[in-house]
Amino acid sequence: MRPTCLDPLFAAVTTLDGVGPKVAGLLQTLLVRSGQTLRVRDLLFHLPSGLIDRRRREEVLSASQGSIVTLTVRIDRHLPPGRAQPSAPYRVFAQDETGEIALTYFRAKPAWMENLFPVGETMLVSGKVEWFNGRAQMVHPDFAAPLAEAENLSLVEPIYPLTAGLSGKVLRRAIGQALEKTPDLSEWIEPGVVRKQTFPGFRRSLERLHDPADGAELDPASPPARRLAYDEFLANQLALALSRRKTRGASGRRLEGDGRLLARIKHALPFDLTEAQASAICEILADMAKPERMLRLLQGDVGAGKTVVALMAMARAAEAGVQSVLLAPTEILARQHASGLSRFCEAAGIRLDILTGRDTGRSRADKLARIESGETRIVVGTHALFQEAVAYHDLGLVVVDEQHRFGVHQRIQLQEKGARPDLLVMTATPIPRTLVLAAFGDMDVSRLAGKPKGRKPIATVALADERLPDIVRRIGSAIEAGDRVYWVCPLVEESEKSDLTAAEERASVLRQFFGEKVGLVHGRMKGEEKDAAMAAFKEGRTAIIVATTVIEVGVDVPDASIIVIEHAERFGLSQLHQLRGRVGRGDKPSSCVLLYRPPLGETAAARLKIMRETEDGFRIAEEDLKLRGEGDLLGTQQSGMPFFRLAKLEHHADLMEVARDDARLILATDPDLKSERGEALRTLLYLFGKDEAIKLLRSG
Ligand code: ADP
Ligand code: MG
């Protein structure tokens, strides 16, 4: 049960003065995801984005165009709109020693204006100054009070992100009440961390941010801001640590082997494993040999060679006498994996089958029978595999490729199959370490840094799309010389024609130059057609493949050495990086042409610049995080709500690791959160809505 001390924070917002159903509705859209209950707590967690400091006074003459200033002025005269022009603005003229300014109001009631601005009164007004024909005016000042009164008002006022229809004043008032209702909670952070980081208490930190003495406190680097970020990280990491403890349990199994199959595969590989691959394999095999379940994330940039690592793990599972499943996000990828792996599996005498939605009738029945009997050791397929009644003889290992396309939902479905199999998740999205911790804190991580030896760098250029004819010419000579080219057409914006049409049109234009050499693959093609198009490209029967972005993450055509990306400005950084990774896989030098439509926005320009500067996926991911915050990387863009509310990953990343270590330490020393600090930590979990995690605590 939630501790009663939190009750005031979990009350409905309508318990606050000035918050009726209408305002509550606005707050609901502003503060929480749809379907979630809005609480007083959510107001507390809505931090200001800036502040107005009215202590700094300026003079009329020196106030610059467009700046927000606070002036001390004497009210001179009123100029209401004339009868002939009732829609004209109401003006109040005021002045200081340096000049005159008009305070302008539209649709103002004269009585209200006279009351607010008594002639002769010295007042403090603030708002945006506009100069026109040598005259200054301020339209709807956002603050106006007699000087004598203003001295008693808070002159530093936080500014909050708002939504249409909600005024800053109403919001500030509601937040003020929420603060008053905030109880003093016992400290849940380890005293050493509190000291080292000079963290103020939880309540104190909220007060300092919502009622800042100056801008310095709103700085993400200020102790109160860091304190709250840490609280959020700690709740997140503690919840993940609890779920990790639960899913691991002791009910995994040891998967060991004599290395016979591994040796045969190694022998059959046309290359030596890189050091990074060897050590990732080592970590994975060690996990598999442990009695606990493996939950491991294998992170490796596009082309880093993750598939072989997975193969080794699956071979070990076969040695241990259990089956493995390799899940790919798409049919094309499943087929590619199956055909790439079957060569080595044959060499090792491991039976591999591919099972997708496309298998029907007799062949499907045969495959299902082989899987059930245990004859098939490795099953490759799409996640559809898990939504159906496929019975395994003994499933011991699940490998998921390209995690970022799998949601949490699939992950759960997957856990339910098989007798708690070991889990290896491979992702080519080079998620920065902080995000790995935030999203997968329950998993161990192996990283495949760098690429296999012998890879040539990819020359990347960004060109305005008017250069298209040049590109077409250059591609002509490249394919003469035997090069293979990807041509990517992006998803188009709604108002335009469909992305399919865009790709079809591009293909037909290119066919005017290169005829039969041009292939096309897009999302709405049937499975077999896609395969055929990809196969033709892979085998060199076509030299250019025009694709919508479906050119699947992970498709491997080592001979392809050029990629052209149209409307590159519409792609996110990690998408561009993924796409570029289609080339540079063989031993030829490769190039990537980013075509954009000018003018480029600031962010788009920054993205293209980074693409030209580096090929390092991890650096790109870090830059991406800086450019747009964590949102999309964690797939939270759709909901419009950030993954963290108080913490900003781009500023507080260092605290995440501290929180992770702290969470693990806590559970090691106080596994049931029974100590005094443990109790406080339970409160923390409730505060951040981690009720699920607390259930884990009680049941196990
Ligand atoms: P990804 O990590 O993107 O899934 P893949 O596993 O598809 O990468 O590997 C990309 C390419 O690199 C494949 O053609 C693969 O055969 C090759 N490859 C993998 N490991 C090595 C290695 N150690 N040396 C040379 N080439 C390798
Ligand atoms: Mg891959």
Side-chain angles (χ1 to χ4, degrees), residues 307 337 401-402 554:
T307 319
H337 276 317
D401 192 11
E402 313 295 359

Side-chain angles (χ1 to χ4, degrees), residues 385-407:
L385 210 76
F386 270 85
Q387 286 147 7
E388 300 166 36
V390 182
Y392 294 86
H393 179 68
D394 186 4
L395 180 58
L397 171 67
V398 173
V399 183
V400 183
D401 192 11
E402 313 295 359
Q403 157 78 23
H404 61 290
R405 295 224 192 152
F406 283 90

Side-chain angles (χ1 to χ4, degrees), residues 162-174:
L162 294 172
T163 186
L166 182 69
S167 80
K169 204 165 169 185
V170 168
L171 182 62
R172 276 195 301 273
R173 183 155 169 244

Side-chain angles (χ1 to χ4, degrees), residues 269-275 277 298-310 333 336-337 340 343-344 401-402 426-428 448 451-455 538 553-558 578 581-582 584-586:
L269 289 176
F271 46 74
D272 290 330
L273 294 173
T274 63
E275 236 167 78
Q277 284 170 325
L298 175 61
Q299 255 196 311
D301 210 344
V302 192
K306 295 182 291 294
T307 319
V308 183
V309 176
L333 272 176
Q336 179 185 304
H337 276 317
R343 195 152 56 106
F344 306 119
D401 192 11
E402 313 295 359
M426 305 196 286
T427 174
L448 284 188
K451 293 189 179 183
K453 276 198 281 293
R455 296 278 171 78
K538 198 163 177 161
V553 196
V555 164
D556 191 24
V557 182
Q578 293 277 351
R582 304 299 106 228
R585 297 182 153 221

